[in-house]
Amino acid sequence: MLSLQRVIGYFHGTIILFSIIIGAGIFLAPKGVLKYSSLNVGVSLSIWAACAVVSMVAALSHAELGTTFPRSGAQYYFLKRSLGPLISFSYIWVNLFASPAGTAARSLLLAGYIIHPFYPGCSVPEMPKKCLALAIVWCLGILNARGVKEVTWFQTLSTVVKMAVLCFISLTGIVLLVRGRKENLARFEKAFDAEVPDASQIAEAFLQGLYAYSGWGVLVRIAGELKNPGENIPKCVITALTLVALIYLLVNISYLAVLTPKEIMSSDAVAVTWMDKVIPSMQWAISIGVSSSIFSSLNCTVFSSSRVLYVASQEGQLPLILSTLNVHSCPVVAVLQMTILASFIIIPSDLILLVNYVGFIDWLQLGLMMTGLLKLRFQEPDLPRPYKVRLPFVFGTIAMSLFLVLTPILKSPNMHYTYVLLFLFSGLLLYFPFIHFNLNCPYFNKITCFLQLLLNVSPGDDIDEYISAEGTLQKNQPEIAAKTE
């Protein structure tokens, strides 16, 4: 029987969540929080801790979506159920392009980081960087096409590598503090003596810090492949985010134990500068840590984003071919679509700006999801909810969403947000004819049949379990890929 398999337990769920949250940020760009904290060490560390709390509250609120509807792409299905098909299509429209754009941008970052040692003292040429980025994207596609077991195995291995590097940085920093010089200790003894940032700077610092914690919604996207999601999603969120918060604080303390705030601000890669000061001969370890972090985070993005396309196809808002599975129970066509789009975006690198155009929509979408959660709480109070978040957490997440969406708009209004709105409304040109009015093309079925034969895929025998409006467990019947004539 072809179906998405529930093979991810608590351990591998925590590994996946840990892998996607810890990307390149903690190695390359921790100076963002310090910059907007006015180089105030105490405020900077406090914001890192506060971002951990905000992320935990938002993640636990978000977890109710995956436990109430334990199916892959639960965010999309939840929006359709609570706020209607138009909102859910807008969500899928953004993710259809934002996920490949983000994958392309990080692939270019990783390629540049790998190639840079071969071009000392000069900038990396664009052609070899883009060729390597394309190779990285297609390696990710092939790995994901092999199925969930290979993905989880790789994530475990890469997490061990990045954990080893991060633990080395953290423990070295603690040792240097205990046995360090007076000026290093004075930096922490007088942590709050520097200039205190104003409210707008603190908001900017929060945006920087929360970006480093982003990715905590991945388990809700893959809820259909989790064992006992009602129990494991909240447990994985608490475990992973607690570990991430502790590591982020220790690594930042370690940076500050070795480098002055001004040295951090002048560095393009803080971890590399830190290693230059501590053990210059061990710079290769930082390179391995950064490469492993970016690649494993990319792998999680491809894995989870393909599941959103998979369920949107099942719900009839994307072509049916995207909900077909290969022999490894992987939605390989959805993976292939993401890989091809990311490849096209890599070639003209200026299109990477698309990442900036849709970036703030993440928190806008989260606010919509929390609004939908409140709506279902009142409309369907008897809906089975294995995990039920407290309402103050939901209201706090909505307030944070409004703060992060409205603050940059009110503080510095520009054409950036007009482009985002135009991009969102452009999806309506497809929604109304093909989804709302169900316009069908006679060639669609023939194309679907051809691609099924070409790629050796077929519709799943099961479409994830879900909770019906009456509060009972049901299963959708498998759909037929093409009509015979």
Side-chain angles (χ1 to χ4, degrees):
M1 182 177 77
L2 280 179
S3 63
L4 293 178
Q5 303 296 315
R6 293 190 182 274
V7 296
I8 303 174
Y10 166 72
F11 174 75
H12 283 116
T14 304
I15 290 291
I16 288 174
L17 189 54
F18 190 87
S19 295
I20 198 170
I21 293 174
I22 297 185
I26 193 62
F27 292 104
L28 301 176
K31 63 181 183 181
V33 175
L34 192 61
K35 173 185 176 182
Y36 291 108
S37 300
S38 299
L39 304 186
N40 190 311
V41 171
V43 172
S44 172
L45 294 176
S46 300
I47 286 174
W48 278 106
C51 286
V53 174
V54 171
S55 298
M56 182 74 79
V57 169
L60 288 174
S61 302
H62 189 251
E64 185 173 324
L65 279 60
T67 58
T68 305
F69 303 102
R71 55 185 294 162
S72 294
Q75 295 106 318
Y76 162 82
Y77 180 77
F78 183 86
L79 284 173
K80 186 178 180 183
R81 176 77 171 263
S82 60
L83 300 178
L86 180 58
I87 298 297
S88 65
F89 183 79
S90 298
Y91 172 79
I92 205 68
W93 177 249
V94 170
N95 280 274
L96 195 62
F97 296 97
S99 295
T103 301
R106 283 181 287 168
S107 296
L108 284 167
L109 173 65
L110 176 56
Y113 197 84
I114 293 172
I115 291 178
H116 189 267
F118 297 98
Y119 296 90
C122 60
S123 58
V124 176
E126 286 297 308
M127 184 57 70
K129 183 169 75 172
K130 289 182 179 181
C131 288
L132 181 57
L134 285 170
I136 290 168
V137 166
W138 283 94
C139 285
L140 286 167
I142 292 169
L143 176 63
N144 276 269
R146 297 293 300 171
V148 65
K149 290 184 178 179
E150 279 72 13
V151 171
T152 54
W153 175 85
F154 175 81
Q155 290 305 118
T156 303
L157 180 63
S158 63
T159 300
V160 169
V161 173
K162 80 169 77 171
M163 276 294 293
V165 174
L166 289 170
C167 287
F168 171 76
I169 293 174
S170 302
L171 294 175
T172 304
I174 293 172
V175 171
L176 290 173
L177 269 183
V178 173
R179 303 171 58 186
R181 302 172 182 174
K182 290 182 179 180
E183 58 264 27
N184 293 347
L185 294 174
R187 211 170 292 150
F188 295 94
E189 290 171 356
K190 301 177 181 179
F192 291 93
D193 285 358
E195 179 187 351
V196 177
D198 59 30
S200 63
Q201 288 177 307
I202 289 176
E204 294 287 352
F206 260 99
L207 290 172
Q208 295 284 332
L210 288 171
Y211 175 76
Y213 284 97
S214 62
W216 40 254
V218 63
L219 294 186
V220 176
R221 287 188 170 196
I222 62 170
E225 291 164 275
L226 289 174
K227 299 175 183 175
N228 192 9
E231 178 182 341
N232 281 331
I233 291 179
K235 283 171 61 178
C236 291
V237 164
I238 292 171
T239 304
L241 277 174
T242 302
L243 284 173
V244 169
L246 181 62
I247 288 171
Y248 277 9
L249 281 171
L250 289 176
V251 169
N252 275 281
I253 289 171
S254 180
Y255 289 154
L256 289 164
V258 175
L259 305 171
T260 66
K262 289 183 178 180
E263 286 175 326
I264 292 176
M265 290 304 304
S266 63
S267 170
D268 291 326
V270 180
V272 174
T273 306
W274 180 91
M275 189 61 83
D276 268 339
K277 289 263 189 174
V278 180
I279 313 175
S281 61
M282 288 283 288
Q283 278 197 15
W284 58 268
I286 297 297
S287 298
I288 291 174
V290 174
S291 301
S292 173
S293 293
I294 299 174
F295 196 86
S296 63
S297 181
L298 275 170
N299 189 41
C300 283
T301 299
V302 174
F303 177 68
S304 61
S305 298
S306 63
R307 271 55 182 178
V308 177
L309 303 183
Y310 172 82
V311 75
S313 172
Q314 289 179 339
E315 293 293 320
Q317 290 197 341
L318 286 178
L320 182 61
I321 189 67
L322 292 172
S323 61
T324 55
L325 303 173
N326 65 4
V327 293
H328 301 292
S329 297
C330 167
V332 67
V333 183
V335 172
L336 185 62
Q337 183 265 349
M338 277 199 63
T339 305
I340 292 172
L341 270 181
S343 300
F344 278 118
I345 294 171
I346 283 172
I347 296 169
S349 57
D350 58 318
L351 288 181
I352 299 302
L353 289 173
L354 180 62
V355 179
N356 294 328
Y357 292 153
V358 299
F360 87 105
I361 292 181
D362 286 343
W363 277 89
L364 174 61
Q365 289 175 340
L366 181 61
L368 288 173
M369 290 175 197
M370 293 301 101
T371 304
L373 190 151
L374 289 175
K375 182 181 176 185
L376 278 191
R377 284 279 186 95
F378 290 103
Q379 282 189 345
E380 302 181 39
D382 298 325
L383 190 68
R385 294 176 173 88
Y387 163 78
K388 195 172 182 179
V389 70
R390 295 182 182 275
L391 287 179
F393 280 30
V394 179
F395 287 119
T397 303
I398 292 174
M400 198 66 187
S401 172
L402 290 172
F403 171 73
L404 293 175
V405 170
L406 295 178
T407 299
I409 295 175
L410 297 176
K411 182 185 175 186
S412 56
N414 54 49
M415 290 300 293
H416 170 101
Y417 306 105
T418 305
Y419 296 146
V420 172
L421 292 175
L422 288 174
F423 175 71
L424 281 172
F425 286 122
S426 65
L428 301 179
L429 299 176
L430 294 175
Y431 173 79
F432 283 106
F434 293 105
I435 309 299
H436 186 74
F437 295 110
N438 201 24
L439 182 65
N440 195 14
C441 175
Y443 293 102
F444 284 173
N445 287 334
K446 292 182 180 180
I447 294 171
T448 300
C449 285
F450 172 76
L451 290 175
Q452 280 188 248
L453 292 171
L454 178 67
L455 300 171
N456 192 25
V457 293
S458 63
D461 294 324
D462 123 294
I463 293 180
D464 299 308
E465 292 183 345
Y466 67 95
I467 309 293
S468 71
E470 290 77 23
T472 57
L473 274 174
Q474 295 183 350
K475 281 189 179 181
N476 290 335
Q477 296 300 317
E479 298 183 42
I480 299 174
K483 297 178 182 177
T484 57
E485 297 183 3

Coordinates of all heavy atoms in Angstrom, one line a residue, residues 22 24-35 37 40-49 51-52 165-174 177 184 187-188 205 208-209 212-213 243-261 264-265 270-271 274:
I22 N 18.6 25.4 13.9 CA 20.0 25.8 13.9 C 20.5 25.7 12.5 O 20.9 24.6 12.0 CB 20.8 24.9 14.9 CG1 20.3 25.1 16.3 CG2 22.3 25.3 14.8 CD1 21.1 24.4 17.4
A24 N 22.7 28.5 9.7 CA 24.0 29.2 9.6 C 24.0 30.4 10.5 O 25.1 30.9 10.8 CB 24.2 29.7 8.2
G25 N 22.9 30.9 11.0 CA 22.8 32.2 11.8 C 23.7 32.2 13.0 O 24.4 33.2 13.2
I26 N 23.7 31.2 13.8 CA 24.5 31.2 15.0 C 26.0 31.2 14.7 O 26.8 31.7 15.5 CB 24.1 30.0 16.0 CG1 24.7 30.2 17.4 CG2 24.6 28.7 15.4 CD1 24.2 31.5 18.1
F27 N 26.4 30.8 13.5 CA 27.8 30.8 13.2 C 28.2 32.1 12.5 O 29.3 32.6 12.7 CB 28.1 29.6 12.2 CG 28.0 28.3 12.8 CD1 27.0 27.5 12.6 CD2 29.0 27.8 13.6 CE1 26.9 26.2 13.1 CE2 29.0 26.5 14.2 CZ 27.9 25.7 13.9
L28 N 27.3 32.6 11.6 CA 27.7 33.7 10.7 C 27.2 35.1 11.2 O 27.9 36.1 10.9 CB 27.2 33.4 9.3 CG 27.7 32.1 8.7 CD1 27.1 32.0 7.3 CD2 29.2 32.1 8.5
A29 N 26.1 35.2 11.8 CA 25.5 36.5 11.9 C 24.8 36.7 13.3 O 23.7 37.1 13.4 CB 24.5 36.8 10.8
P30 N 25.5 36.5 14.4 CA 24.9 36.8 15.7 C 25.0 38.3 16.0 O 24.5 38.8 17.0 CB 25.7 36.0 16.7 CG 27.0 35.9 16.1 CD 26.8 35.8 14.6
K31 N 25.7 39.1 15.1 CA 25.9 40.5 15.4 C 24.7 41.3 15.2 O 24.6 42.5 15.7 CB 27.1 41.0 14.6 CG 26.8 41.0 13.1 CD 28.0 41.6 12.3 CE 27.7 41.6 10.8 NZ 28.9 42.1 10.1
G32 N 23.6 40.8 14.6 CA 22.4 41.6 14.3 C 21.8 42.0 15.6 O 21.4 43.2 15.8
V33 N 21.6 41.1 16.6 CA 21.0 41.4 17.9 C 21.9 42.4 18.6 O 21.4 43.3 19.2 CB 20.8 40.1 18.7 CG1 20.3 40.4 20.1 CG2 19.9 39.2 18.0
L34 N 23.2 42.2 18.6 CA 24.2 43.1 19.3 C 24.1 44.5 18.7 O 24.1 45.5 19.4 CB 25.6 42.5 19.2 CG 26.6 43.1 20.1 CD1 26.3 43.0 21.6 CD2 28.0 42.5 19.9
K35 N 24.0 44.6 17.4 CA 23.9 45.9 16.7 C 22.7 46.7 17.2 O 22.9 47.9 17.6 CB 23.9 45.7 15.2 CG 23.7 46.9 14.4 CD 23.5 46.6 12.9 CE 23.2 47.9 12.2 NZ 22.9 47.6 10.7
S37 N 21.1 46.2 19.8 CA 21.1 46.4 21.3 C 22.1 47.5 21.7 O 22.4 47.6 22.9 CB 21.5 45.1 21.9 OG 20.6 44.1 21.6
N40 N 25.1 46.8 23.8 CA 24.9 46.5 25.2 C 24.9 45.0 25.4 O 23.9 44.3 25.0 CB 23.6 47.2 25.7 CG 23.5 47.2 27.2 OD1 23.6 46.1 27.8 ND2 23.1 48.3 27.7
V41 N 25.9 44.5 26.0 CA 26.0 43.0 26.2 C 24.8 42.4 27.0 O 24.3 41.4 26.6 CB 27.4 42.7 26.9 CG1 27.4 41.2 27.3 CG2 28.5 43.0 26.0
G42 N 24.5 43.1 28.1 CA 23.4 42.6 28.9 C 22.0 42.6 28.2 O 21.3 41.6 28.2
V43 N 21.8 43.6 27.4 CA 20.5 43.7 26.7 C 20.5 42.7 25.6 O 19.5 42.0 25.3 CB 20.3 45.1 26.1 CG1 19.1 45.1 25.1 CG2 20.1 46.1 27.2
S44 N 21.7 42.5 24.9 CA 21.8 41.5 23.8 C 21.5 40.1 24.3 O 20.7 39.4 23.7 CB 23.2 41.6 23.3 OG 23.4 40.5 22.3
L45 N 22.1 39.7 25.4 CA 21.8 38.3 26.0 C 20.4 38.2 26.5 O 19.8 37.1 26.3 CB 22.8 38.0 27.1 CG 24.3 37.9 26.7 CD1 25.2 37.7 27.9 CD2 24.5 36.8 25.7
S46 N 19.8 39.3 27.0 CA 18.4 39.3 27.5 C 17.5 39.1 26.3 O 16.5 38.3 26.4 CB 18.1 40.5 28.2 OG 18.9 40.7 29.3
I47 N 17.8 39.7 25.2 CA 16.9 39.5 24.0 C 17.0 38.1 23.4 O 16.0 37.6 23.0 CB 17.3 40.6 22.9 CG1 16.8 42.0 23.4 CG2 16.7 40.2 21.5 CD1 17.2 43.1 22.5
W48 N 18.2 37.5 23.4 CA 18.3 36.1 23.0 C 17.4 35.2 23.9 O 16.7 34.3 23.4 CB 19.8 35.6 23.1 CG 20.6 36.0 21.9 CD1 21.5 37.0 21.9 CD2 20.5 35.5 20.6 NE1 22.1 37.1 20.6 CE2 21.5 36.1 19.8 CE3 19.8 34.4 20.0 CZ2 21.7 35.8 18.5 CZ3 20.0 34.1 18.7 CH2 21.0 34.8 17.9
A49 N 17.4 35.5 25.2 CA 16.6 34.7 26.1 C 15.1 35.0 25.9 O 14.3 34.0 25.9 CB 17.0 35.0 27.6
C51 N 13.7 36.0 23.1 CA 13.3 35.4 21.8 C 13.0 33.9 22.0 O 12.1 33.3 21.3 CB 14.4 35.6 20.8 SG 14.5 37.3 20.2
A52 N 13.8 33.2 22.9 CA 13.5 31.8 23.1 C 12.1 31.6 23.8 O 11.4 30.7 23.4 CB 14.6 31.3 24.1
V165 N 30.5 20.8 17.1 CA 31.2 22.1 16.9 C 30.6 23.1 17.9 O 31.4 23.9 18.6 CB 31.0 22.6 15.5 CG1 31.5 24.0 15.3 CG2 31.6 21.6 14.5
L166 N 29.3 23.2 18.1 CA 28.7 24.1 19.0 C 29.1 23.9 20.5 O 29.3 24.8 21.2 CB 27.1 24.1 18.9 CG 26.6 24.7 17.6 CD1 25.1 24.4 17.4 CD2 26.8 26.2 17.5
C167 N 29.1 22.6 20.9 CA 29.5 22.3 22.2 C 31.0 22.7 22.5 O 31.4 23.2 23.5 CB 29.3 20.8 22.5 SG 27.6 20.3 22.7
F168 N 31.8 22.5 21.4 CA 33.2 22.9 21.5 C 33.3 24.4 21.8 O 34.1 24.9 22.7 CB 34.0 22.5 20.3 CG 35.4 23.1 20.2 CD1 36.4 22.5 21.0 CD2 35.7 24.2 19.4 CE1 37.7 23.0 20.9 CE2 37.0 24.7 19.4 CZ 38.0 24.1 20.1
I169 N 32.6 25.2 21.0 CA 32.6 26.7 21.2 C 32.1 27.0 22.6 O 32.7 27.9 23.3 CB 31.7 27.3 20.1 CG1 32.4 27.2 18.7 CG2 31.6 28.8 20.4 CD1 31.5 27.7 17.5
S170 N 31.0 26.4 23.0 CA 30.4 26.7 24.3 C 31.3 26.4 25.4 O 31.5 27.3 26.3 CB 29.0 26.0 24.5 OG 28.1 26.3 23.4
L171 N 31.8 25.2 25.4 CA 32.7 24.8 26.6 C 34.0 25.6 26.6 O 34.5 25.9 27.7 CB 33.0 23.3 26.4 CG 31.7 22.4 26.6 CD1 32.1 20.9 26.4 CD2 31.2 22.5 28.0
T172 N 34.5 25.8 25.4 CA 35.8 26.6 25.3 C 35.5 28.0 25.9 O 36.4 28.6 26.7 CB 36.3 26.8 23.9 OG1 36.5 25.5 23.4 CG2 37.6 27.5 23.8
G173 N 34.4 28.6 25.6 CA 34.0 29.9 26.1 C 33.9 29.9 27.7 O 34.4 30.9 28.3
I174 N 33.3 28.9 28.2 CA 33.2 28.8 29.7 C 34.6 28.6 30.3 O 34.9 29.3 31.4 CB 32.3 27.6 30.0 CG1 30.8 27.9 29.6 CG2 32.3 27.3 31.5 CD1 29.9 26.7 29.7
L177 N 36.3 31.9 30.3 CA 35.8 32.8 31.3 C 36.3 32.5 32.7 O 36.7 33.4 33.4 CB 34.2 32.7 31.3 CG 33.5 33.7 30.4 CD1 32.0 33.5 30.6 CD2 33.8 35.1 30.7
N184 N 38.0 40.5 30.0 CA 36.9 39.6 29.5 C 35.8 39.5 30.5 O 34.6 39.5 30.2 CB 37.4 38.2 29.1 CG 38.3 38.2 27.9 OD1 38.4 39.2 27.2 ND2 39.1 37.1 27.7
R187 N 33.6 42.6 30.9 CA 32.5 42.7 29.9 C 31.2 42.2 30.4 O 30.1 42.7 30.1 CB 33.0 42.0 28.7 CG 32.5 42.5 27.4 CD 33.2 41.8 26.2 NE 34.6 42.2 26.2 CZ 35.5 41.3 25.7 NH1 35.2 40.1 25.3 NH2 36.8 41.7 25.7
F188 N 31.2 41.2 31.3 CA 30.0 40.7 31.8 C 29.6 41.3 33.2 O 28.4 41.4 33.5 CB 30.1 39.1 32.0 CG 30.3 38.4 30.7 CD1 31.5 38.1 30.2 CD2 29.2 38.1 29.9 CE1 31.7 37.5 28.9 CE2 29.3 37.4 28.7 CZ 30.5 37.1 28.2
A205 N 16.0 44.3 17.1 CA 16.8 43.2 17.7 C 16.0 41.9 17.8 O 16.5 40.8 17.6 CB 17.3 43.7 19.0
Q208 N 15.7 40.2 14.5 CA 17.0 39.4 14.3 C 17.0 38.1 15.0 O 17.4 37.1 14.5 CB 18.2 40.3 14.6 CG 18.3 41.6 13.8 CD 18.9 41.3 12.4 OE1 19.6 40.3 12.2 NE2 18.5 42.1 11.5
G209 N 16.7 38.2 16.3 CA 16.8 37.0 17.2 C 15.8 36.0 16.8 O 16.1 34.8 16.8
A212 N 16.7 33.7 14.0 CA 17.6 32.6 14.3 C 16.8 31.4 14.9 O 17.3 30.3 14.9 CB 18.6 33.1 15.3
Y213 N 15.6 31.7 15.5 CA 14.8 30.6 16.1 C 13.7 30.1 15.1 O 13.0 29.2 15.4 CB 14.1 31.1 17.3 CG 14.9 31.2 18.5 CD1 15.5 32.4 18.9 CD2 15.2 30.1 19.3 CE1 16.3 32.6 20.0 CE2 16.0 30.2 20.5 CZ 16.5 31.4 20.8 OH 17.3 31.6 21.9
L243 N 16.9 23.2 24.3 CA 18.3 22.9 23.9 C 18.8 24.0 23.0 O 19.9 24.5 23.3 CB 18.4 21.6 23.2 CG 18.3 20.3 24.0 CD1 18.2 19.1 23.1 CD2 19.4 20.2 25.0
V244 N 18.0 24.5 22.1 CA 18.5 25.6 21.2 C 18.7 26.8 22.0 O 19.7 27.5 21.8 CB 17.5 25.8 20.1 CG1 17.8 27.1 19.3 CG2 17.4 24.6 19.1
A245 N 17.8 27.2 22.9 CA 18.0 28.4 23.7 C 19.2 28.3 24.5 O 20.0 29.3 24.6 CB 16.7 28.6 24.5
L246 N 19.5 27.2 25.1 CA 20.6 27.0 26.0 C 21.9 27.1 25.1 O 22.9 27.8 25.5 CB 20.6 25.7 26.7 CG 21.7 25.3 27.6 CD1 21.8 26.3 28.8 CD2 21.6 23.9 28.1
I247 N 21.9 26.5 24.0 CA 23.1 26.5 23.1 C 23.4 28.0 22.6 O 24.5 28.5 22.6 CB 23.0 25.5 22.0 CG1 23.1 24.1 22.5 CG2 24.0 25.8 20.9 CD1 22.8 23.0 21.5
Y248 N 22.3 28.6 22.2 CA 22.4 30.0 21.7 C 23.0 30.9 22.7 O 23.9 31.7 22.4 CB 21.1 30.5 21.2 CG 20.7 30.1 19.8 CD1 21.4 29.2 19.1 CD2 19.6 30.7 19.2 CE1 21.1 28.8 17.8 CE2 19.2 30.3 17.9 CZ 19.9 29.3 17.2 OH 19.6 29.0 15.9
L249 N 22.5 30.8 23.9 CA 23.1 31.7 25.0 C 24.5 31.4 25.3 O 25.4 32.3 25.4 CB 22.2 31.5 26.3 CG 20.9 32.2 26.3 CD1 20.1 31.8 27.5 CD2 21.1 33.7 26.3
L250 N 24.9 30.1 25.4 CA 26.2 29.7 25.7 C 27.2 30.1 24.6 O 28.3 30.6 24.9 CB 26.3 28.2 26.0 CG 25.7 27.7 27.3 CD1 25.8 26.2 27.3 CD2 26.4 28.3 28.5
V251 N 26.8 29.9 23.3 CA 27.6 30.3 22.2 C 27.8 31.8 22.2 O 29.0 32.3 21.9 CB 27.0 29.8 20.9 CG1 27.8 30.4 19.7 CG2 27.1 28.3 20.8
N252 N 26.8 32.6 22.4 CA 27.0 34.0 22.4 C 27.8 34.5 23.6 O 28.6 35.4 23.4 CB 25.6 34.7 22.5 CG 24.9 34.9 21.2 OD1 25.3 35.8 20.4 ND2 24.0 34.0 20.8
I253 N 27.7 33.8 24.7 CA 28.6 34.1 25.9 C 30.0 33.8 25.5 O 31.0 34.6 25.8 CB 28.2 33.4 27.1 CG1 26.8 34.0 27.7 CG2 29.2 33.4 28.2 CD1 26.2 33.1 28.8
S254 N 30.2 32.7 24.8 CA 31.6 32.3 24.4 C 32.2 33.3 23.4 O 33.3 33.7 23.5 CB 31.5 30.9 23.7 OG 32.8 30.5 23.3
Y255 N 31.3 33.8 22.4 CA 31.8 34.8 21.5 C 32.3 36.1 22.3 O 33.3 36.6 22.0 CB 30.7 35.2 20.5 CG 30.3 34.2 19.5 CD1 29.1 34.2 18.9 CD2 31.3 33.3 19.1 CE1 28.7 33.3 18.0 CE2 30.9 32.3 18.1 CZ 29.6 32.3 17.5 OH 29.3 31.4 16.6
L256 N 31.5 36.5 23.3 CA 31.7 37.7 24.0 C 32.9 37.5 25.0 O 33.5 38.5 25.4 CB 30.5 38.2 24.7 CG 29.4 38.7 23.8 CD1 28.0 38.8 24.6 CD2 29.8 40.1 23.3
A257 N 33.2 36.3 25.4 CA 34.3 36.0 26.2 C 35.6 36.2 25.5 O 36.7 36.4 26.1 CB 34.2 34.6 26.8
V258 N 35.6 36.1 24.2 CA 36.8 36.2 23.4 C 36.9 37.5 22.6 O 38.0 38.1 22.5 CB 36.9 35.0 22.4 CG1 38.1 35.1 21.5 CG2 37.0 33.7 23.2
L259 N 35.8 37.9 22.1 CA 35.8 39.1 21.2 C 35.1 40.3 21.9 O 34.1 40.0 22.7 CB 35.0 38.8 19.9 CG 35.6 37.6 19.1 CD1 34.6 37.2 18.0 CD2 36.9 37.8 18.6
T260 N 35.5 41.5 21.6 CA 34.8 42.6 22.1 C 33.6 42.9 21.2 O 33.5 42.4 20.1 CB 35.7 43.9 22.0 OG1 36.0 44.2 20.6 CG2 37.0 43.7 22.8
P261 N 32.6 43.6 21.7 CA 31.4 43.9 20.8 C 31.8 44.5 19.5 O 31.2 44.2 18.5 CB 30.6 44.8 21.7 CG 30.9 44.4 23.1 CD 32.3 44.1 23.1
I264 N 33.1 41.9 17.1 CA 31.9 41.1 16.6 C 31.3 41.9 15.5 O 30.9 41.4 14.4 CB 30.9 40.8 17.7 CG1 31.6 39.8 18.7 CG2 29.6 40.2 17.1 CD1 30.7 39.5 19.9
M265 N 31.1 43.2 15.7 CA 30.4 44.0 14.7 C 31.2 44.2 13.4 O 30.6 44.3 12.3 CB 30.1 45.4 15.2 CG 29.1 45.5 16.3 SD 27.5 44.8 15.8 CE 27.2 45.8 14.4
V270 N 31.4 35.6 12.5 CA 31.8 35.7 13.9 C 32.5 34.4 14.4 O 33.5 34.5 15.1 CB 30.6 36.0 14.8 CG1 31.1 36.1 16.3 CG2 30.0 37.3 14.4
A271 N 32.0 33.3 14.0 CA 32.6 32.0 14.5 C 34.0 31.8 13.9 O 34.9 31.3 14.7 CB 31.7 30.8 14.0
W274 N 36.2 34.2 15.9 CA 36.4 33.6 17.2 C 37.5 32.5 17.2 O 38.4 32.5 18.0 CB 35.1 33.0 17.7 CG 35.1 32.4 19.1 CD1 34.8 33.0 20.3 CD2 35.4 31.0 19.4 NE1 34.9 32.1 21.3 CE2 35.3 30.8 20.8 CE3 35.7 29.9 18.6 CZ2 35.5 29.6 21.4 CZ3 35.9 28.7 19.2 CH2 35.8 28.6 20.6

